[in-house]
Amino acid sequence: GQQVKQSSPSLTVQEGGISILNCDYENDMFDYFAWYKKYPDNSPTLLISVRSNVDKREDGRLTVFLNKSGKHFSLHITASQPEDTAVYLCGSMQQGTGSKLSFGKGAKLTVSP
Amino acid sequence: GPKVLQIPSHQIIDMGQMVTLNCDPVSNHLYFYWYKQILGQQMEFLVNFYNGKVMEKSKLFKDQFSVERPDGSYFTLKIQPTALEDSAVYFCASSLDQGGSERLFFGHGTKLSVL
């Protein structure tokens, strides 16, 4: 079955608002959690990642929150801008197992001016 | 930033024929991957490759699939013979290292349509 799920396939946010994207995973052994952005040429690019020894990581406007007991992680984008409009993929894996990321289906974020 | 290039962007082929998908990974990377995405589904790991050998493969990596990187040129995925269910977008990725949370760089994908 699908090991990583993004329950909301789309989200629309006003410019300047906070975008919140969610991801649930099933495998207790997963200890690496990542968010990828799919650019117009379709290539997924790593935005931010976190290991299981922390429950939060910030990088500029991006913050990843990890809830291990709930097997859930999220991406928060503050001060959302139109150029944040894209498809976002969450991915997770157990480190040391060959970079076999399990991805969600993706969520389309639209930031409207 | 570093780019992974995939050639061609789209390939249309008749069922039963052979197809080779080409990937030009980031120049100093050592680990290479193929992922498969069926329309409407998530990207799924197929195989990883290092030092001329397949390290791991998933159950999606059928016997008809093979990978190689002869003489440091393109990293290729060959399907022989193709089947209708091979229609998908195939993403190539590369990384400098492995074992931890090493960053994967993905290409833009090759859409394979098997008729």
Side-chain angles (χ1 to χ4, degrees):
Chain A
Q2 207 180 329
Q3 296 209 65
V4 175
K5 291 179 186 172
Q6 295 179 253
S7 52
S8 300
S10 63
L11 171 71
T12 300
V13 170
Q14 285 284 110
E15 185 175 1
I18 299 177
S19 302
I20 301 175
L21 299 159
N22 294 299
C23 193
D24 297 294
Y25 63 96
E26 294 188 355
N27 191 334
D28 286 331
M29 301 300 292
F30 284 170
D31 54 6
Y32 170 82
F33 308 92
W35 285 95
Y36 279 76
K37 180 178 180 181
K38 258 198 176 184
Y39 282 90
D41 74 348
N42 209 35
S43 59
T45 299
L46 179 67
L47 279 182
I48 187 169
S49 63
V50 67
R51 301 185 191 196
S52 59
N53 58 338
V54 296
D55 55 16
K56 178 181 168 181
R57 182 180 172 206
E58 284 184 67
D59 183 1
R61 295 188 296 116
L62 307 177
T63 304
V64 178
F65 293 92
L66 174 62
N67 174 355
K68 288 192 287 291
S69 61
K71 291 195 272 189
H72 176 88
F73 61 108
S74 61
L75 173 67
H76 292 220
I77 307 174
T78 57
S80 299
Q81 300 163 7
E83 50 265 38
D84 295 328
T85 295
V87 173
Y88 290 79
L89 305 176
C90 62
S92 188
M93 69 177 182
Q94 181 181 359
Q95 293 178 87
T97 60
S99 295
K100 293 184 294 187
L101 278 164
S102 292
F103 284 98
K105 289 185 182 181
K108 175 71 187 293
L109 170 66
T110 302
V111 180
S112 53
Chain B
K3 287 222 181 271
V4 172
L5 302 176
Q6 289 188 244
I7 303 160
S9 297
H10 193 183
Q11 178 95 43
I12 301 171
I13 198 161
D14 290 324
M15 182 177 65
Q17 285 193 300
M18 182 195 76
V19 69
T20 301
L21 308 183
N22 297 296
C23 173
D24 188 10
V26 178
S27 60
N28 60 337
H29 283 187
L30 301 174
Y31 295 83
F32 312 107
Y33 314 81
W34 284 102
Y35 281 73
K36 176 183 180 181
Q37 185 174 26
I38 293 171
L39 185 64
Q41 302 298 314
Q42 68 276 16
M43 277 203 305
E44 293 192 87
F45 171 84
L46 276 179
V47 65
N48 55 19
F49 187 87
Y50 169 73
N51 198 25
K53 292 196 267 295
V54 169
M55 293 166 57
E56 291 176 273
K57 54 188 179 181
S58 72
K59 62 181 187 302
L60 297 179
F61 194 81
K62 305 182 301 184
D63 290 342
Q64 297 89 329
F65 288 24
S66 62
V67 291
E68 63 175 355
R69 191 181 188 221
D71 301 323
S73 59
Y74 286 149
F75 174 53
T76 62
L77 172 65
K78 185 190 291 186
I79 309 174
Q80 182 178 26
T82 49
L84 294 177
E85 60 264 26
D86 296 332
S87 294
V89 179
Y90 290 84
F91 289 91
C92 173
S94 67
S95 66
L96 183 58
D97 205 344
Q98 201 176 74
S101 51
E102 184 59 31
R103 178 176 175 176
L104 296 188
F105 288 80
F106 283 90
H108 53 66
T110 292
K111 183 176 179 182
L112 177 64
S113 300
V114 182
L115 307 179

